[in-house]
Amino acid sequence: MDRSPNVYSLNISCCNLLQDDQITSLVLRSLNIQKLVLSGLNHLSDSGLKQIVDALYKDLAVLKLDKCSKLTSESIKYVFHKCKSLKELSIMFCYNITDDAFSTLNESNYPLRCLYLGACLQLTEHVIEKIANFCPNLKTLSVPCMKSVNDVSLKLIGRQCPQLNHLNVAFCEKVTSLGIRHLVNGCAHIKHLDISGIEDLTDYSLTLIGRSCFYLKCLDISNGVYYSEDGIFDLVKKCKLLQTLKMRAKSPRHQFPPKFFTKLHELRPHLSV
């Protein structure tokens, strides 16, 4: 197969009929790839990914492997070991990934900027601790629906990752308003925050967010049951840059009345709710 030396970005996601050898053959047509999207390739194996990494590790900066169901911790561990220029990694819905995948993440100031781990259900809170300790320049962390993420995890992130500006901890059942308090105290540059499904958020929680997150642009507090109209108004007044506020009600009895949205529109006409 002919080489394609000038290809720097390749996306073959969801071509789920491709077999392992076909995937590697296609990817390795170019050895200059910096961004590689392989999401949804159900036949990609650990050995196939290792072969790809061996060829591309020097320049590879973005690697997306969501829903690659055959991958295990063995190949992800190899990615961290070899790819010292990696800035973005996404392994959402890779159900076979365990903490061992991060065992080679042991160099301070690892260049990773964006990490997506949603629905990696076997990962424990120790992974968050390792990420916080070795990825101080992290800007985006997405860990929705991870049962192991807790308030201590957010305290570590708030303390160790001050540059974080995107965080998704939606429906992390062990996260409470206390964890959110720790987070916003440390991550003053947060712009996008998804804390939907954290039911114990109160007006005080929203006040802390408004007081600390001056750069907040998008906030999702859906499914909360304890905050009130006053808390929302206080938040919106403090967050001058807020553009999007998502607040889907958990049930009809938790919905705000139409007049609340009218007042909110009068306060901030350009706010998307």
Side-chain angles (χ1 to χ4, degrees):
M1 188 176 289
D2 293 337
R3 296 282 184 183
S4 304
N6 295 322
V7 174
Y8 299 99
S9 178
L10 179 63
N11 185 341
I12 54 173
S13 59
C14 298
C15 297
N16 52 14
L17 296 180
L18 289 176
Q19 298 301 306
D20 197 34
D21 58 340
Q22 294 174 311
I23 297 168
T24 54
S25 177
L26 183 59
V27 172
L28 297 182
R29 290 181 63 186
S30 174
L31 300 181
N32 298 316
I33 293 175
Q34 299 172 9
K35 178 179 180 179
L36 181 60
V37 183
L38 304 177
S39 302
L41 301 186
N42 297 323
H43 299 291
L44 179 63
S45 68
D46 285 336
S47 60
L49 181 56
K50 284 184 175 182
Q51 186 178 346
I52 291 170
V53 168
D54 279 335
L56 304 180
Y57 70 93
K58 290 183 179 179
D59 297 315
L60 193 61
V62 177
L63 180 60
K64 298 187 178 185
L65 302 166
D66 305 329
K67 298 182 180 180
C68 291
S69 57
K70 289 185 69 174
L71 294 181
T72 72
S73 298
E74 180 184 350
S75 56
I76 304 304
K77 179 166 57 175
Y78 195 68
V79 169
F80 282 120
H81 173 65
K82 293 282 287 188
C83 300
K84 302 305 182 183
S85 298
L86 191 67
K87 290 182 172 58
E88 180 175 337
L89 176 66
S90 186
I91 51 175
M92 296 190 297
F93 298 98
C94 290
Y95 298 119
N96 298 318
I97 305 301
T98 67
D99 287 7
D100 187 53
F102 294 80
S103 61
T104 53
L105 184 62
N106 51 21
E107 295 183 10
S108 59
N109 291 315
Y110 192 85
L112 201 65
R113 299 290 189 273
C114 304
L115 182 60
Y116 302 87
L117 301 176
C120 292
L121 302 180
Q122 295 193 59
L123 296 179
T124 73
E125 68 274 13
H126 300 299
V127 165
I128 302 299
E129 180 180 354
K130 196 153 201 178
I131 293 166
N133 287 331
F134 293 106
C135 302
N137 298 313
L138 199 68
K139 292 183 179 295
T140 298
L141 179 62
S142 181
V143 290
C145 304
M146 282 183 59
K147 296 180 179 181
S148 60
V149 176
N150 55 35
D151 291 342
V152 176
S153 307
L154 295 196
K155 187 175 183 178
L156 284 169
I157 292 295
R159 181 188 301 161
Q160 302 290 99
C161 302
Q163 297 185 43
L164 194 73
N165 54 40
H166 285 65
L167 178 67
N168 184 343
V169 290
F171 295 95
C172 292
E173 58 187 35
K174 292 183 180 179
V175 172
T176 71
S177 57
L178 178 62
I180 301 303
R181 185 188 312 176
H182 289 312
L183 174 81
V184 299
N185 283 338
C187 297
H189 294 91
I190 204 91
K191 294 179 180 178
H192 296 258
L193 181 60
D194 189 340
I195 49 178
S196 54
I198 300 177
E199 294 187 5
D200 76 331
L201 292 175
T202 64
D203 287 349
Y204 181 62
S205 307
L206 301 187
T207 295
L208 289 177
I209 292 172
R211 186 183 299 163
S212 304
C213 303
F214 304 111
Y215 302 100
L216 193 64
K217 292 184 176 181
C218 181
L219 176 65
D220 193 338
I221 53 173
S222 299
N223 289 75
V225 297
Y226 293 115
Y227 53 76
S228 69
E229 297 180 18
D230 290 338
I232 298 294
F233 285 129
D234 187 53
L235 169 77
V236 170
K237 289 175 182 177
K238 286 182 169 65
C239 293
K240 304 296 185 183
L241 300 180
L242 192 65
Q243 299 173 357
T244 302
L245 177 61
K246 299 178 181 179
M247 37 187 288
R248 294 180 300 276
K250 183 177 182 180
S251 67
R253 70 187 182 92
H254 294 113
Q255 289 180 341
F256 291 114
K259 64 179 182 180
F260 161 75
F261 294 98
T262 300
K263 290 175 63 177
L264 195 59
H265 178 72
E266 291 173 353
L267 177 64
R268 290 286 295 279
H270 302 294
L271 180 66
S272 176
V273 179

